[in-house]
Each structure stands twice: as C-alpha cells, then as structure tokens.
C-alpha cells in the first residue's frame, strides 16, 4: 500500500467527541498480557464518563506471527475499532496496513498509535511526545546540550527524535548492534541540521558520559528478565541526569545506581503515561489528564506489587 504523509508538522489531531459512542481500541504486539496501558486508558475513560473498551490483541496467542501485523490492522478497521496502540515487534510491520503516516512517525520509522477515522488508517507516534512530556515534567529544565543514549530500537528511535526535536545539541547513540545505532543516526541527522547526531560503539562512550549532561537507557537491560545496567555504574556522576524508559520495574538497577550517585533521575513511568494520554486523545478527541493517569499508573503498579506478594505467600 502506498503511504501518504500528512502535511506539515504533526499536531495531535483529535476527532470530534461524540458522547454516545462506545470506543473500542486495542494493543497489538507480543508479550503484552501484563501491559498496564489498557488499564490506564480505561481508568481515564471512567473518570471522564466515556464508554470505552481496550482489548489486547496478543500476537503470541494468535500463533506468534509478527508478519500478520498489517493484516490485523486491516481486520481491526473492518471490525469497527476506533484505533490501536502498537508495540514490539509490530511498530514497523504495521505500516503496510496504513493509508497515511504522520510526519513524525515517518521520520522516526515507527508507529505506536493508529486511528481509523473517516475510513482511513493513520499511523502516529506518541512515544516521542510521551517521553519529552515526561522529561519536562520529571526533570524540569535539565540541560540537553550533550546526551548519550544507549539503545537504538523502537523506544530509542522515539527518544532520539524527541530529544533532537527539543533542541539536543550533541546526541551520541550507542547500541550493542552497531548497525542499528548507525542507521538511526543516519535517519535522524538530515532532519536536525543544527544538531550533531552520531553513532558510537558501546565500548567507546565512557569519555562522553563523563562530560555529558544526560544519559538515557532505551535498551531492555534492567527490565524484568534482563538484569543489569546498560552502562558501568562507575561512569555515573552527580552532574549527569539519568533517564530510563523501562517501567517494569520502575526502579531499575540503573535508576538505583543513579540515585545513589546523586544524579537527577527519571524512570519510565511518565513516558508510558504520556504516550497513553496522547493516544487516548487521538482515539477519542477528548483530552486526557496526564496527572490523573500518572496517579492511576502508580495505583496499578502498587496493586501488581501486592498481587505478587500475595502470590508468593500462597
Ligand atoms: N516507557 C515507555 O513508554 C516505553 C518503554 N519501553 C521499554 O523500552 C525497552 C526497549 O524496548 P524497544 O525499544 O521496543 O526494544 P527493541 O528491541 O526495539 O530495542 C532495544 C535495543 O536495545 C539494544 N540493546 C540490547 N542490549 C543492549 C546493551 N547491553 N547495550 C546496548 N544496546 C543494547 C538492542 O540491540 C536493540 O536495538 C523495553 O524495556 C520496553 O519495555 C518501550 C516503549 C515505550
Ligand atoms: O511501547 C509501548 C508500551 C506499550 O506497549 C505498553 O504495553 O504499555 C503501549 C504502547 O502504546 C507503547 O508504544
């Protein structure tokens, strides 16, 4: 399918609210059974008095074929869904099922939100707005003249785009798969001529971290099942802010090490809330309140900790 780009910079283009409509949306991806995003959307809809159902479309339960992603997008449109969120491994693959791409989703090469308004499937990316909104709320006016980012996958593309869009002067991207860092830097650099975007080997960033304003982790290292830190904690210093996009758990080993060093720290909670709030508005046309959603997120995290404790006692 030939994709059209939406004209101009991507505003969040909400639909006209319709109070009588029951919204049906879903999350397409793999390993999403425990995602907190459905609950975040439904809690915000309840608060706003909006009829809203958020379903999981789990590729694992459907035979684990990522290649079906675009077909599932078209099926959701036919079945009357209002929209979809999309996650790993489908953020690139869904693009074959779309009619249009927002300019930012096209540049960063990943779609995490699809709207089906007016018979057209349009791909957006709210991960980057979620990250930068959370960054500004959580780290306030932290400087971004020089930033080191580890990880150049789906989340990495969104974070790098967000930082450059916000005016990062010098962004170093490192990935254990060097070609990923190189292709992300090459993809983004032409769109930000006033910034320097470079790929570096993971074993060659120590010196840059020592003088950088900030460090972002967009690798899975530190999430449940992937223990450890993506960089040596000895490289952290009090003049560095540290952001981790991982939110399962919120307190990663990197976040803990950074706190101990006296760094300003941002965990992955605000990004996941920010992407959800922006997607909710795209789906419904009704603004979501990120502060209420953040409170709902923390309630859900606490509840899941209690469930785990109860489960371990049984
Ligand atoms: N807070 C939020 O809203 C979001 C958080 N995430 C989290 O971000 C993490 C990454 O997710 P995705 O980008 O979708 O995964 P991905 O698989 O697309 O990308 C991960 C990248 O990290 C690289 N990598 C792995 N180990 C590394 C290491 N030791 N050093 C350097 N690079 C390494 C991989 O080669 C890959 O390029 C996950 O933990 C996910 O849960 C993802 C999306 C949104
Ligand atoms: O990648 C992510 C995380 C997510 O999949 C979740 O499960 O919370 C929700 C997606 O919208 C987002 O882009």
């Amino acid at each position: 399918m030939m994709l059209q780009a939406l004209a101009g910079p991507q505003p969040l283009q909400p639909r006209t609210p319709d109070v009588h409509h029951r919204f049906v949306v879903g999350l397409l991806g793999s390993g999403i059974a425990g995602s907190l995003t459905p609950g975040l959307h439904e809690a915000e809809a309840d608060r706003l008095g909006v009829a809203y159902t958020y379903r999981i479309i789990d590729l694992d339960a459907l035979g684990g074929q990522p290649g079906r992603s675009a077909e599932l997008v078209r099926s959701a449109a036919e079945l009357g869904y209002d929209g979809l969120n999309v996650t790993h491994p489908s953020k690139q693959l869904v693009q074959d099922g779309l009619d249009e791409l927002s300019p930012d989703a096209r540049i960063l090469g990943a779609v995490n939100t699809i709207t089906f308004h007016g018979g057209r499937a349009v791909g957006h990316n709210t991960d980057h707005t979620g990250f930068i909104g959370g960054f500004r709320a959580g780290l306030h006016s932290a400087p971004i003249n020089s930033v080191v980012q580890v990880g150049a996958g789906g989340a990495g593309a969104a974070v790098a785009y967000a930082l450059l869009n916000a005016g990062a002067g010098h962004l170093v991207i490192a990935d254990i798969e060097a070609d990923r860092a190189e292709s992300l830097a090459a993809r983004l650099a032409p769109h930000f001529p006033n910034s320097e975007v470079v790929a570096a080997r993971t074993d060659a960033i120590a010196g840059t971290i020592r003088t950088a304003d900030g460090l972002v982790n967009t690798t899975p290292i530190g999430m449940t099942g992937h223990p450890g830190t993506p960089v040596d904690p000895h490289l952290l210093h009090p003049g560095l802010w540290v952001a981790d996009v991982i939110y399962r758990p919120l307190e990663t080993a990197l976040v803990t090490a950074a706190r101990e060093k006296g760094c300003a720290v941002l965990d992955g909670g605000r990004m996941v809330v920010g992407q959800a709030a922006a997607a909710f508005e795209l789906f419904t046309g009704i603004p979501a309140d990120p502060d209420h959603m953040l409170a709902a997120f923390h309630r859900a995290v606490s509840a899941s900790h209690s469930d785990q404790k109860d489960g371990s006692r049984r």
Side-chain angles (χ1 to χ4, degrees):
M1 188 180 291
M2 273 297 284
L3 285 180
Q4 293 170 10
L6 293 175
Q10 185 215 8
L12 288 182
Q13 290 176 334
R15 55 180 288 164
T16 308
D18 172 356
V19 286
H20 303 297
H21 184 72
R22 168 168 286 279
F23 292 92
V24 179
V25 302
L27 173 62
L28 172 63
S30 180
I32 52 178
S35 171
L36 298 181
T37 288
L40 277 183
H41 279 248
E42 291 188 342
E44 185 64 1
D46 281 352
R47 190 184 71 80
L48 292 166
V50 175
Y52 200 94
T53 300
Y54 194 117
R55 298 204 164 120
I56 289 285
I57 306 173
D58 190 347
L59 283 172
D60 301 337
L62 293 170
Q65 297 171 48
R68 291 191 61 200
S69 299
E71 169 204 331
L72 289 166
V73 168
R74 289 190 284 264
S75 299
E78 281 170 24
L79 290 168
Y81 276 68
D82 294 282
L84 293 177
N85 279 136
V86 182
T87 194
H88 182 80
S90 304
K91 285 182 180 177
Q92 282 83 28
L93 295 168
V94 291
Q95 294 179 42
D96 286 340
L98 303 177
D99 300 301
E100 292 173 39
L101 273 182
S102 68
D104 49 1
R106 180 179 288 272
I107 292 169
L108 63 85
V111 164
N112 87 317
T113 301
I114 300 170
T115 53
F116 298 121
H117 304 156
R120 294 185 73 69
V122 181
H124 304 263
N125 190 297
T126 67
D127 286 328
H128 76 91
T129 48
F131 175 77
I132 207 67
F135 183 87
R136 291 300 180 213
L139 288 177
H140 310 289
S141 53
I144 53 171
N145 297 323
S146 168
V147 181
V148 177
Q149 174 180 314
V150 196
V159 168
Y161 180 85
L163 287 167
L164 290 166
N165 223 10
H170 183 72
L171 178 65
V172 174
I173 304 172
D175 194 291
I176 203 160
E177 305 221 12
D179 56 329
R180 291 197 184 188
E182 280 157 20
S183 78
L184 180 57
R187 172 188 275 272
L188 294 180
H191 299 281
F192 298 97
N194 297 327
S195 302
E196 198 181 359
V197 194
V198 293
R201 293 169 47 101
T202 48
D203 59 4
I205 53 175
T208 318
I209 292 174
R210 285 197 190 96
T211 57
D213 296 320
L215 170 72
V216 191
N217 175 42
T218 69
T219 79
I221 305 303
M223 74 183 283
T224 307
H226 297 79
T229 56
V231 300
D232 182 345
H234 291 108
L235 297 173
L236 307 179
H237 52 87
L240 186 77
W241 56 258
V242 174
D244 201 327
V245 302
I246 291 172
Y247 67 96
R248 278 184 290 185
L250 280 174
E251 188 74 17
T252 60
L254 177 67
V255 163
T256 302
R259 281 191 213 291
E260 284 169 4
K261 285 277 171 148
C263 304
V265 173
L266 180 71
D267 65 38
R270 285 187 188 269
M271 177 178 176
V272 74
V273 165
Q275 63 79 28
F280 182 93
E281 184 166 353
L282 281 169
F283 294 151
T284 63
I286 302 166
D289 183 332
D291 290 336
H292 277 105
M293 290 180 87
L294 187 62
F297 173 77
H298 284 294
R299 284 196 298 277
V301 169
S302 302
S304 72
H305 287 164
S306 312
D307 286 353
Q308 279 161 14
K309 278 188 199 142
D310 289 352
S312 62
R313 273 191 226 113
R314 277 198 282 269

